[in-house]
Amino acid sequence: MLQDRLGLSERRACRVAGQNRSTQRHRPQVAPEDQDLRRALRKISEQRPRWGYRRAHGHLLTEGFSLNRKRVQRLWREEGLRVPAKAKKRRRLGESTAAPGRLKAEYPNHVWALDYCHDATDDGRELKFLNVVDEFTREALAIEVDRSINAEETVAVLRRLAAERGAPANLRADNGPELTATVLREWCRRGKTDTAYIEPGSPWQNAYVESFNSRLRDELLNTEVFTCLAEAQVLAEDWRRDYNANHPHSALGMISPERFATSLRSPSGLATRGGDQEQYSTQTNPGLSLGVDR
C-alpha cells in the first residue's frame, strides 16, 4: 500500500512498516495436501451456503479427512468463504390496474385513498385506525377503529361505503399486507374498481390520506386519552362528522368538504359521466385549488 499510494521504494516501505524485506518478497507455497481440502471447502460453501467452518469441519470428518478445527478455520478464511448475510424478505407488492401515469381525482368517487394509523388506549393496548378519504371532495368517508383490522374487515368497510355511495372508480393505497391481500383485490375486480398502489417507501404518492392522517393525529389522537375501544370509536366518528361538516379546507376555497360535496349536486355544478356519475367542472368554481393543502 505504501508503495502503491505514496510511491515509496520497497526498502523504505519495509522500514516504515517494520517488516523484513525477505518476508515481503516471500511467495507462499500452498501445501499439496491442502489442495483437495480447499476444493472440498469451496464445494461445501457452494452447496451449503448457510454453513460456517465449524459445520464444514464436522462434515469433513465424516468424509474421512483427518484434521483439526483450527486448520479448517484458517483455510476457510484464506479461501474468502463466509456465511452470507441473511437477505430481508421481500414484501409482496400490489398490482396496479389503473391506467399508467399520475392518477388525479376528477369527480366524486373517482379515487378513494386508504391508509392506517395507530394509537393506544391508556392501558397500552393498540388501536388501529382505517381512514378512507375521497380525494376529490376531501371527505372522510370512514374512520374505522379496532384493536386490529385485517383485509376482510377492510373489505367490509369498503363494501358498506360502496352500498351507501357507490363503488369508487379507483382505489389508492400502499403495499401493506392488508391492502394487497387477495380478498381486497377480488372485491375490486368484482366492483370494477381499479387499484393504484404507490411505490414502496413513497408515502407522498398517497398525499391526500397522509395529510388527513396528520390532521387526525394533531386534532384528536394527540389531544385525547382513550380509556377503552368504545370511547375511541365514538370520539373518532364524532370527529369525522365534525371534520366533514365544519373543517374549512384550503384546497376547497376554505369551505368544508361536506359543503363542497353538496355544491356539486347543485344545478350549476352537476355533470354526468356514463349517466350515473357526478363530475365537477372547475370552470364553475374558478378559485378552486386542487392542491393537498389542508
Side-chain angles (χ1 to χ4, degrees), residues 184-193:
L184 179 61
R185 290 185 284 114
E186 183 64 20
W187 180 83
C188 291
R189 185 188 66 80
R190 292 180 179 178
K192 297 182 179 180
T193 297

CSV table of all heavy atoms in Angstrom, one decimal, residues 184-193:
chain,number,residue,atom,x,y,z
A,184,LEU,N,-59.1,-8.3,-1.0
A,184,LEU,CA,-59.3,-6.9,-1.4
A,184,LEU,C,-59.3,-6.8,-2.9
A,184,LEU,O,-60.1,-6.1,-3.5
A,184,LEU,CB,-58.3,-6.0,-0.7
A,184,LEU,CG,-58.4,-4.5,-1.1
A,184,LEU,CD1,-59.7,-4.0,-0.7
A,184,LEU,CD2,-57.3,-3.7,-0.5
A,185,ARG,N,-58.3,-7.4,-3.5
A,185,ARG,CA,-58.1,-7.4,-5.0
A,185,ARG,C,-59.3,-8.0,-5.7
A,185,ARG,O,-59.8,-7.6,-6.7
A,185,ARG,CB,-56.8,-8.0,-5.4
A,185,ARG,CG,-55.6,-7.2,-5.0
A,185,ARG,CD,-54.3,-7.8,-5.5
A,185,ARG,NE,-53.9,-8.9,-4.8
A,185,ARG,CZ,-53.8,-10.2,-5.2
A,185,ARG,NH1,-54.2,-10.4,-6.5
A,185,ARG,NH2,-53.4,-11.2,-4.5
A,186,GLU,N,-59.9,-9.1,-5.0
A,186,GLU,CA,-61.1,-9.7,-5.6
A,186,GLU,C,-62.3,-8.8,-5.5
A,186,GLU,O,-63.1,-8.8,-6.4
A,186,GLU,CB,-61.3,-11.1,-4.9
A,186,GLU,CG,-62.5,-11.9,-5.4
A,186,GLU,CD,-62.3,-12.3,-6.9
A,186,GLU,OE1,-61.1,-12.4,-7.3
A,186,GLU,OE2,-63.3,-12.7,-7.5
A,187,TRP,N,-62.4,-8.1,-4.4
A,187,TRP,CA,-63.5,-7.1,-4.2
A,187,TRP,C,-63.4,-6.0,-5.3
A,187,TRP,O,-64.4,-5.7,-5.9
A,187,TRP,CB,-63.5,-6.5,-2.8
A,187,TRP,CG,-64.6,-5.5,-2.6
A,187,TRP,CD1,-65.9,-5.8,-2.3
A,187,TRP,CD2,-64.6,-4.1,-2.8
A,187,TRP,NE1,-66.7,-4.6,-2.2
A,187,TRP,CE2,-65.8,-3.6,-2.5
A,187,TRP,CE3,-63.5,-3.3,-3.1
A,187,TRP,CZ2,-66.1,-2.2,-2.6
A,187,TRP,CZ3,-63.8,-1.9,-3.2
A,187,TRP,CH2,-65.1,-1.4,-2.9
A,188,CYS,N,-62.2,-5.6,-5.5
A,188,CYS,CA,-62.0,-4.5,-6.6
A,188,CYS,C,-62.4,-5.1,-8.0
A,188,CYS,O,-63.0,-4.4,-8.8
A,188,CYS,CB,-60.6,-4.0,-6.5
A,188,CYS,SG,-60.2,-3.1,-5.1
A,189,ARG,N,-62.0,-6.3,-8.2
A,189,ARG,CA,-62.3,-6.9,-9.5
A,189,ARG,C,-63.8,-7.0,-9.7
A,189,ARG,O,-64.3,-6.7,-10.8
A,189,ARG,CB,-61.6,-8.3,-9.6
A,189,ARG,CG,-61.7,-8.9,-11.0
A,189,ARG,CD,-61.2,-10.3,-11.0
A,189,ARG,NE,-62.0,-11.2,-10.2
A,189,ARG,CZ,-63.2,-11.7,-10.6
A,189,ARG,NH1,-63.7,-11.5,-11.8
A,189,ARG,NH2,-63.8,-12.5,-9.8
A,190,ARG,N,-64.5,-7.5,-8.7
A,190,ARG,CA,-66.0,-7.7,-8.9
A,190,ARG,C,-66.7,-6.3,-9.0
A,190,ARG,O,-67.7,-6.2,-9.7
A,190,ARG,CB,-66.5,-8.4,-7.7
A,190,ARG,CG,-66.0,-9.9,-7.6
A,190,ARG,CD,-66.6,-10.6,-6.4
A,190,ARG,NE,-66.2,-12.0,-6.4
A,190,ARG,CZ,-66.5,-12.8,-5.4
A,190,ARG,NH1,-67.3,-12.4,-4.4
A,190,ARG,NH2,-66.1,-14.1,-5.4
A,191,GLY,N,-66.2,-5.3,-8.3
A,191,GLY,CA,-66.8,-4.0,-8.4
A,191,GLY,C,-66.3,-3.1,-9.5
A,191,GLY,O,-66.7,-2.0,-9.6
A,192,LYS,N,-65.4,-3.7,-10.3
A,192,LYS,CA,-64.8,-3.0,-11.5
A,192,LYS,C,-64.1,-1.7,-11.0
A,192,LYS,O,-64.2,-0.6,-11.6
A,192,LYS,CB,-65.8,-2.6,-12.5
A,192,LYS,CG,-66.5,-3.9,-13.2
A,192,LYS,CD,-67.5,-3.5,-14.2
A,192,LYS,CE,-68.1,-4.7,-14.9
A,192,LYS,NZ,-69.0,-4.4,-15.9
A,193,THR,N,-63.4,-1.8,-9.8
A,193,THR,CA,-62.6,-0.8,-9.3
A,193,THR,C,-61.1,-1.0,-9.5
A,193,THR,O,-60.6,-2.1,-9.2
A,193,THR,CB,-62.8,-0.7,-7.7
A,193,THR,OG1,-64.2,-0.3,-7.5
A,193,THR,CG2,-62.0,0.4,-7.1
